[in-house]
Amino acid sequence: MKQNKSLYIAALGLVLVASACSKRLDLAPVSSISDANFWQTSDQVDAFVTGVHARLRSHTSAFQTLGEMRADIFGTDPGSSSVFTGEATQGFERLWGNTLDMDNAGVGNFGGFYSNINQLNLLISKLGTINSVTDANRAYYLGIAHGMRAYYYFHMYRTWGKVIIQTEPTTSIDIAALAKPASTEAEVMALIKDDIEKSAAAFGNDYSFRNQKGFWSKSATLMLKAEVYLWNSYRGGGTGDATVAKTALTDIQTNVPGLTLLPNFVSVFEANNKGNTEIIFAIRNRLDESGLPFAGSFAPQTGLIANFHDSAAARKFNVTQDNWGGLLRAPITVATFRKFSNQDTRKWATIQPAYNLVGGQYQIAGAFVKKYEGQQQAGIRQYTNDFPIYRYADLLLLLAEAKVALGESPETEINRVRQRAFGANYNAAVHGFPNGAVDADPKEAILQERFFEFIFEGKRWYDLRRMGDAYVFKYTTITPADAYKLLWPIDRSSLTNNRALQQNPGYPVF
């Protein structure tokens, strides 16, 4: 623990220098530390690699917002109490209402991702010249750098479409001052695929995990590869790309046999169960070091929740046990809560409903996120849960999706997830694929299962987008008439600072 903290401090000392200049692309000079006194020892390189993961962690809120907040999970709806849900949406309602524009862009400055992309560019460049690392670490770190860079660009590709490609580190000039246009979507996708292949090749046969699965790994790269190729399979890639996705997923199953579903869904996210056998890659958080940065926006104030009841526990909330300590800007809709079967353990592990007790009857007032409960420290709740990027349930459901695209049955993968979800309540004749009403359309079955499984893991919006525009129109507030909203608007500040950028079509021209 002490050693990890030292690495974070050392690495952050380097990367924070890089973020101190203009936010136009967050690509300031990488560091004021010269090559003469850095990159000279293995500890320095290790610290830098830890630093790029620390900066990845700083982007957790952007990952969650981009991947989920515009979908059909959050908001207010009939049945909600205005007292409970009206704390302060503070602009969050523009996300699920899909009323974004350049002045209310939801996520600005391209998520701040270019700050770490530049660090990754520097890492790639230096690993090609320095002699201060072993060959094994050089290869592993190149796998990390190319994989993480592809991950960032895939987020931006799905969000803004055309974005600026930057693969060289900036060490002596401020690229933010350059007027550089965005590359085409085809060029961005080509970079993503190239980085994925370079990452996989660098890792070679090394399927090991580091830092309790808090470092990027070959399995993370293969999960990203499956996502990318499934996305393209719906956009002209067909069975060829679906086959690539399936092969990437089965590669993980073959070479990392220790990965599996945990018996209990709730155990996956517990703060004292990090790097468990279900996790493939997670953004790490620790007590007295870091916490989920967005947790407070999805939890109510402690004093407010004490006015309501937990019907399942047949008790009134209290400020000692239920000290969520947030400001509920993004409540879960009552409709979302009611989509779950009461026999599904994910319902009670993911969402906390709150009720009024009227005449001895519970009446639902609202609901909020429960998946990350953190831990208590001196009477204060600390949100120290890791944020999973990829886990084995994701692998199974992506594999099910690839199989459907190839005309194969997804039964095995879907039912493994459902069996875990329903536990002792599981009845194959009722819950098993293909016996449910939703199973008549396997794509809908997979979308529904992913909805139940991954709420608050930043996946729902991306899932709908991946499967096709029709699913976005069906499940969100976007209509075919407003199809331009499938891409996000570029914020005014970015357009002001780089006049070579152009606003995405459909939004008012800057």
Side-chain angles (χ1 to χ4, degrees):
M1 175 72 172
K2 186 175 180 180
Q3 182 183 21
N4 282 341
K5 282 186 177 179
S6 297
L7 290 176
Y8 272 104
I9 292 169
L12 283 172
L14 175 66
V15 298
L16 287 178
V17 175
S19 65
C21 296
S22 171
K23 292 185 177 179
R24 295 166 188 165
L25 266 185
D26 254 354
L27 286 175
V30 173
S31 174
S32 61
I33 302 174
S34 71
D35 287 350
N37 55 22
F38 200 78
W39 305 103
Q40 302 304 304
T41 69
S42 60
D43 284 346
Q44 289 174 327
V45 181
D46 293 345
F48 195 91
V49 172
T50 300
V52 297
H53 286 89
R55 187 173 283 276
L56 181 81
R57 182 174 63 191
S58 74
H59 295 141
T60 306
S61 294
F63 296 147
Q64 196 276 335
T65 298
L66 294 176
E68 185 168 76
M69 294 304 298
R70 294 181 66 190
D72 52 340
I73 296 172
F74 299 98
T76 58
D77 56 357
S80 299
S81 164
S82 59
V83 175
F84 182 78
T85 60
E87 284 197 87
T89 54
Q90 295 183 337
F92 274 54
E93 73 281 355
R94 286 184 170 275
L95 292 164
W96 56 77
N98 286 292
T99 58
L100 301 174
D101 56 41
M102 74 174 76
D103 294 308
N104 304 275
V107 172
N109 190 31
F110 297 98
F113 296 160
Y114 284 103
S115 61
N116 211 20
I117 287 172
N118 200 42
Q119 299 297 93
L120 294 166
N121 292 342
L122 179 62
L123 181 59
I124 292 168
S125 174
K126 290 300 180 182
L127 287 171
T129 60
I130 60 176
N131 297 312
S132 53
V133 292
T134 65
D135 289 342
N137 275 352
R138 186 193 312 276
Y140 203 96
Y141 292 166
L142 278 171
I144 287 173
H146 283 289
M148 286 177 61
R149 189 168 71 180
Y151 180 71
Y152 275 117
Y153 271 105
F154 192 44
H155 274 289
M156 294 195 292
Y157 173 89
R158 291 176 292 182
T159 302
W160 295 284
K162 297 187 295 182
V163 294
I164 293 171
I165 288 177
Q166 181 66 27
T167 57
E168 297 296 325
T170 60
T171 55
S172 60
I173 61 172
D174 182 0
I175 194 172
L178 302 179
K180 188 172 183 178
S183 296
T184 66
E185 291 181 71
E187 290 169 330
V188 178
M189 178 54 68
L191 171 65
I192 293 167
K193 288 182 175 180
D194 183 62
D195 264 340
I196 287 172
E197 294 309 314
K198 287 177 178 175
S199 174
F203 281 120
N205 293 321
D206 189 346
Y207 289 84
S208 65
F209 296 107
R210 299 190 182 185
N211 193 28
Q212 286 186 289
K213 301 178 180 177
F215 274 16
W216 192 273
S217 64
K218 179 161 187 175
S219 293
T221 290
L222 292 173
M223 287 293 294
L224 175 61
K225 184 174 186 176
E227 278 196 294
V228 168
Y229 279 84
L230 276 175
W231 176 282
N232 288 326
S233 74
Y234 297 108
R235 292 161 176 79
T239 58
D241 279 358
T243 299
V244 173
K246 180 183 176 183
T247 300
L249 298 167
T250 55
D251 185 344
I252 300 172
Q253 288 183 314
T254 300
N255 290 290
V256 195
L259 290 172
T260 188
L261 294 180
L262 292 186
N264 300 312
F265 178 78
V266 69
S267 300
V268 178
F269 312 97
E270 291 175 339
N272 61 355
N273 195 27
K274 298 176 184 295
N276 58 68
T277 55
E278 183 160 339
I279 297 298
I280 295 174
F281 173 61
I283 293 176
R284 300 295 307 280
N285 294 294
R286 285 179 175 170
L287 189 65
D288 299 325
E289 182 178 297
S290 65
L292 281 172
F294 50 71
S297 292
F298 299 87
Q301 296 180 67
T302 299
L304 181 140
I305 194 63
N307 297 311
F308 296 91
H309 294 257
D310 181 347
S311 66
R315 69 177 181 88
K316 193 173 185 180
F317 293 113
N318 63 79
V319 297
T320 300
Q321 183 177 350
D322 306 297
N323 55 339
W324 295 95
L327 182 64
L328 193 57
R329 298 174 178 88
I332 287 180
T333 65
V334 173
T336 293
F337 175 69
R338 287 174 171 163
K339 287 179 181 178
F340 287 80
S341 164
N342 285 340
Q343 295 180 321
D344 189 336
T345 61
R346 295 172 298 191
K347 180 174 188 173
W348 311 106
T350 300
I351 302 173
Q352 178 63 64
Y355 293 83
N356 289 308
L357 186 59
V358 181
Q361 299 293 316
Y362 288 112
Q363 297 177 356
I364 194 165
F368 59 94
V369 172
K370 187 183 179 184
K371 181 171 277 186
Y372 309 114
E373 295 189 73
Q375 61 192 100
Q376 298 283 353
Q377 177 75 0
I380 299 174
R381 187 185 297 271
Q382 304 286 348
Y383 292 97
T384 55
N385 311 82
D386 288 353
F387 183 71
I389 300 298
Y390 294 123
R391 55 188 178 90
Y392 197 67
D394 199 3
L395 184 153
L396 290 174
L397 292 175
L398 288 175
L399 183 54
E401 193 174 331
K403 285 186 171 183
V404 169
L406 295 170
E408 303 172 18
S409 172
E411 179 176 354
T412 298
E413 289 73 27
I414 291 177
N415 285 344
R416 285 192 63 183
V417 174
R418 289 182 180 175
Q419 285 171 355
R420 195 265 296 272
F422 285 88
N425 295 319
Y426 182 75
N427 181 340
V430 176
H431 305 120
F433 184 94
N435 301 318
V438 71
D439 297 337
D441 184 339
K443 289 183 181 179
E444 289 285 5
I446 291 168
L447 273 177
Q448 177 178 276
E449 214 57 47
R450 291 184 64 86
F451 179 88
F452 294 149
E453 187 74 21
F454 299 117
I455 283 180
F456 213 49
E457 296 180 51
K459 295 186 183 291
R460 176 62 171 177
W461 170 259
Y462 286 150
D463 288 345
L464 297 174
R465 287 276 284 122
R466 181 177 64 255
M467 284 203 178
D469 299 354
Y471 293 96
V472 180
F473 302 147
K474 179 177 180 179
Y475 288 105
T476 78
T477 55
I478 297 177
T479 68
D482 293 326
Y484 71 91
K485 293 182 179 181
L486 294 169
L487 293 179
W488 293 53
I490 300 173
D491 62 289
R492 184 182 293 275
S493 178
S494 294
L495 294 167
T496 298
N497 291 323
N498 183 353
R499 292 307 180 97
L501 283 177
Q502 295 182 355
Q503 182 61 274
N504 275 326
Y507 295 99
V509 176
F510 176 68

